[in-house]
Amino acid sequence: VNTNPLYTTREINHQLNDSGAKVLVVLSNVAATAAEIIQDTEVEQVIVTNVGDLLGSIKGPLVNFVAKRVKKMVPAFHFQNSISFRSVLALGAKSMLMPVAVKSEDIAVLQYTGGTTGLSKGAMLTHSNLVSNMQQIDGCLGSYFEEGKEVAVAPLPLYHIYGFTMHCMMHYALGNHSILIPNPRDIPSFIKALKPYQVTAFVGLNTLFNSLCQAPEFSELDFSKLKVTSSGGMALTSDVAELWKKVTGCPVADGYGLTETSPVVSFNMPDDIHSGSVGRAVINTEVKVIDGEGNTLPSGERGELCVRGPQVMKGYWKRPEATAEVIDEAGWFKTGDVATIDEEGIIRIVDRIKDMVIVSGFNVYPNEIEDEVGLLPGVLEAAVIGIEDAKSGEAVKLFVVKSDPNLTEDEIKAYCREKLTAYKVPKVIEFRDDLPKSNVGKILRKDLR
């Protein structure tokens, strides 16, 4: 069970109890939060590791001492039944390996959904799901990568399904080097970590690409070997895609996926990028869009995107009703995303169904407005939600983070009136210093609501 170490006590409690985990492996720096609630869970054994545990007999203890005593990075904590990671390794070295029979349909990982639209659920991903998706990604990118010679930037945490599949699965299987970035929000440290390398692959998402390109030092790095930049996790806006290509010389290949699909469903090939789309379905994957009655819609029409393929999860852990709501008897998974599929199979994600705003009966998709407003000079970030309105039922509210302090509300509304249909023009605009984001950098509209 991959767990976010920055979770609150409530979130950790939910995930440990929901999964029924018996053992918790935790870094000492973040152990205090888990220690507060461990007695309320079924966890029987805690394994505590320190940042210097695998750095050798001299450097390791020194790093651990500095982290704990000098930098005060390890808050006090107590577990009733804990053992050190190094002790576990020593015990394991003395034990005989006991082979376990594993079938492809067995659950390998309980990968919890991000919870951006509600309570986090455990997606049951099988060995077949994970290996299939790794091979599907390799089918898209394998021709661009030389085994054992690529240097990939890994700014997304490995507990996140995107980072997990790309770096713990695909790049690891290929013998490639992944540069792990502990804190992608610390842009100066991020750039410093990249300086010694000529990176060939970059995995990230829209807000991260934007933040990096705003830093002058980033453009000074050597991008001459960068051949693949893949984006996922949230919509890639056209302004950020153009800025990234201008700074690095490498176009962004946007893709699409979900925790429930291990995660990749579709991808833009680096040499065949269809701007504003998430590309075509990866190999051995079927996609379609349906209306509210479940009827398949023709090419070009908007509807809920459905996916069928070997990467689709077994279901939600201990939630048969929730599973039945999203996976039908024929194996089609309902994504909850509004999309179109054209005659060439190019998929365009319009928005999350739950994020859609209905103004006087008209559907308004936040992504469309955010993408357009992002092109306005002086706008650093934008996010849209729906708010109650006595006349229209709902109205559009726009949140803006400015890069130009002189940008005004009137200027934004005038721009929107020029670029958007009247009912899509924001009725309310709020300026903010920043926008709430998940730990992987996805803007959280639910928090704005």
Side-chain angles (χ1 to χ4, degrees):
V1 182
N2 291 321
T3 303
N4 180 350
L6 300 180
Y7 268 167
T8 63
T9 52
R10 179 190 64 82
E11 291 165 323
I12 293 175
N13 195 325
H14 165 69
Q15 192 163 326
L16 293 180
N17 278 313
D18 189 76
S19 65
K22 301 296 183 187
V23 178
L24 173 67
V25 183
V26 64
L27 181 68
S28 60
N29 302 49
V30 294
T33 307
E36 290 183 37
I37 51 86
I38 202 74
Q39 296 303 313
D40 300 326
T41 72
E42 298 178 36
V43 172
E44 300 170 359
Q45 179 72 63
V46 179
I47 299 170
V48 180
T49 182
N50 297 286
V51 291
D53 277 356
L54 297 179
L55 296 179
S57 58
I58 298 176
K59 185 178 180 181
L62 178 61
V63 168
N64 287 337
F65 177 82
V66 171
K68 185 173 183 179
R69 304 296 181 188
V70 180
K71 294 189 176 182
K72 309 294 183 183
M73 296 170 63
V74 183
F77 63 87
H78 172 72
F79 296 105
Q80 286 189 347
N81 192 14
S82 66
I83 186 172
S84 74
F85 181 61
R86 289 179 61 83
S87 296
V88 172
L89 294 182
L91 288 169
K94 298 175 183 177
S95 305
M96 291 291 292
L97 176 65
M98 301 292 287
V100 177
V102 179
K103 300 186 292 295
S104 63
E105 65 269 22
D106 288 344
I107 301 169
V109 175
L110 287 184
Q111 185 72 31
Y112 277 75
T113 61
T116 54
T117 58
L119 194 63
S120 184
K121 300 183 288 292
M124 296 185 287
L125 302 183
T126 66
H127 292 275
S128 178
N129 289 153
L130 294 173
V131 173
S132 294
N133 204 231
M134 180 182 71
Q135 292 178 332
Q136 288 170 318
I137 297 169
D138 188 49
C140 292
L141 298 175
S143 61
Y144 298 90
F145 292 151
E146 193 171 351
E147 189 170 328
K149 295 187 178 180
E150 306 302 330
V151 179
V153 183
L156 298 177
L158 300 184
Y159 62 76
H160 188 273
I161 188 61
Y162 188 22
F164 179 80
T165 302
M166 291 297 290
H167 298 285
C168 275
M169 296 287 292
M170 191 193 72
H171 279 299
Y172 186 84
L174 292 173
N176 293 333
H177 177 187
S178 286
I179 306 170
L180 303 181
I181 308 296
N183 181 10
R185 296 185 184 185
D186 182 353
I187 299 298
S189 295
F190 193 139
I191 296 171
K192 183 180 178 181
L194 300 185
K195 282 184 178 179
Y197 305 99
Q198 287 185 306
V199 299
T200 62
F202 209 113
V203 175
L205 70 174
N206 193 77
T207 50
L208 175 63
F209 296 141
N210 192 21
S211 296
L212 287 170
C213 288
Q214 300 298 329
E217 299 85 357
F218 184 69
S219 61
E220 297 172 4
L221 297 175
D222 182 1
F223 296 108
S224 60
K225 298 293 179 65
L226 181 61
K227 50 190 173 181
V228 174
T229 300
S230 61
S231 174
M234 65 182 295
L236 175 70
T237 58
S238 54
D239 59 316
V240 171
E242 290 173 12
L243 182 59
W244 181 264
K245 186 176 181 180
K246 179 181 177 181
V247 171
T248 68
C250 180
V252 184
D254 198 8
Y256 169 78
L258 308 97
T259 300
E260 292 89 342
T261 56
S262 304
V264 181
V265 170
S266 66
F267 195 70
N268 268 295
M269 298 295 283
D271 58 356
D272 186 29
I273 294 176
H274 295 260
S275 182
S277 83
V278 292
R280 295 182 176 88
V282 294
I283 191 171
N284 293 335
T285 300
E286 298 172 88
V287 290
K288 66 178 181 179
V289 292
I290 61 173
D291 61 19
E293 305 301 318
N295 301 309
T296 301
L297 296 172
S299 298
E301 290 199 20
R302 290 179 173 183
E304 182 175 9
L305 181 65
C306 299
V307 180
R308 184 165 64 179
Q311 71 272 50
V312 173
M313 68 172 181
K314 198 169 187 174
Y316 291 120
W317 177 249
K318 298 192 297 187
R319 284 179 168 78
E321 297 85 3
T323 301
E325 288 177 7
V326 297
I327 302 179
D328 66 19
E329 293 180 356
W332 285 100
F333 170 68
K334 298 178 182 178
T335 65
D337 286 317
V338 182
T340 64
I341 306 173
D342 68 18
E343 294 179 353
E344 296 181 358
I346 303 298
I347 304 167
R348 287 176 170 80
I349 304 298
V350 179
D351 226 312
R352 291 289 301 172
I353 288 176
K354 292 181 180 179
D355 286 334
M356 185 174 68
V357 185
I358 302 178
V359 180
S360 299
F362 292 99
N363 294 347
V364 178
Y365 299 98
N367 279 350
E368 179 187 3
I369 302 173
E370 291 165 1
D371 196 22
E372 192 61 63
V373 172
L375 297 173
L376 176 63
V379 173
L380 181 63
E381 289 183 321
V384 165
I385 64 167
I387 56 174
E388 289 187 15
D389 186 84
K391 291 184 177 180
S392 58
E394 280 190 299
V396 174
K397 180 172 182 178
L398 172 68
F399 296 85
V400 172
V401 178
K402 296 189 284 188
S403 58
D404 177 2
N406 297 316
L407 183 66
T408 67
E409 180 178 332
D410 288 342
E411 288 174 320
I412 295 175
K413 285 189 175 180
Y415 173 83
C416 289
R417 290 190 192 99
E418 181 185 341
K419 300 291 184 180
L420 300 167
T421 306
Y423 63 84
K424 298 178 183 178
V425 174
K427 185 172 184 178
V428 179
I429 295 177
E430 181 179 325
F431 293 112
R432 289 200 168 197
D433 293 332
D434 53 49
L435 297 175
K437 298 181 180 74
S438 69
N439 289 309
V440 296
K442 188 184 297 185
I443 293 173
L444 296 174
R445 292 183 185 133
K446 70 180 180 69
D447 286 4
L448 292 173
R449 283 194 288 268

